Amino acid sequence: AFGWLLEDSHHHGNLTALRKVQRGVLAMFFFSTGGDLDDVWYDRTNWLDHDQHECDWFHKKSFKFSDDEIRIESPCNSTSRGDAEREYEMLWLDSNGLVGSLPQELCMLTS
């Protein structure tokens, strides 16, 4: 995860502290749950794409709760600081083939 962050030109540019932490924590999550291994995650669309906002990396789009289906447009909230400053609110990747352990750093995602 640290190597990926070092390669991320956006990380060295104008990202806020929030975005740097968010991207770093999600990169740790990706590697610690097998996202980098072939045939582990079923969908890893845009994950670790340096040119994509981390809120646009693959997430589960809907889930069924009882008889109701709930649609999730984004795992992030909108802020008054603009679209680039969206903050992670949920990490919903059930049935995506994750393995391994959740990194302790997930608690650094404050929302």
Side-chain angles (χ1 to χ4, degrees), residues 1-8 23-24 27 31 47-50 57:
F2 185 68
W4 178 82
L5 284 173
L6 290 176
E7 295 170 359
D8 187 2
R23 286 173 81 81
F31 287 108
W47 273 81
L48 303 190
D49 183 333
H50 294 294
W57 295 348

Side-chain angles (χ1 to χ4, degrees), residues 16-79:
T16 62
L18 168 78
R19 292 277 316 280
K20 289 178 182 181
V21 168
Q22 208 164 247
R23 286 173 81 81
V25 168
L26 291 170
M28 285 182 240
F29 171 79
F30 179 81
F31 287 108
S32 68
T33 59
D36 60 323
L37 304 173
D38 289 337
D39 301 325
V40 175
W41 279 29
Y42 301 123
D43 194 332
R44 53 182 161 196
T45 303
N46 293 333
W47 273 81
L48 303 190
D49 183 333
H50 294 294
D51 295 325
Q52 294 289 325
H53 191 290
E54 59 277 10
C55 292
D56 297 326
W57 295 348
F58 171 76
H59 65 279
K60 184 136 177 168
K61 304 277 192 248
S62 64
F63 63 95
K64 260 186 121 52
F65 183 75
S66 219
D67 291 332
D68 299 320
E69 184 171 340
I70 299 171
R71 300 233 2 110
I72 302 168
E73 296 303 318
S74 172
C76 299
N77 66 9
S78 299
T79 68

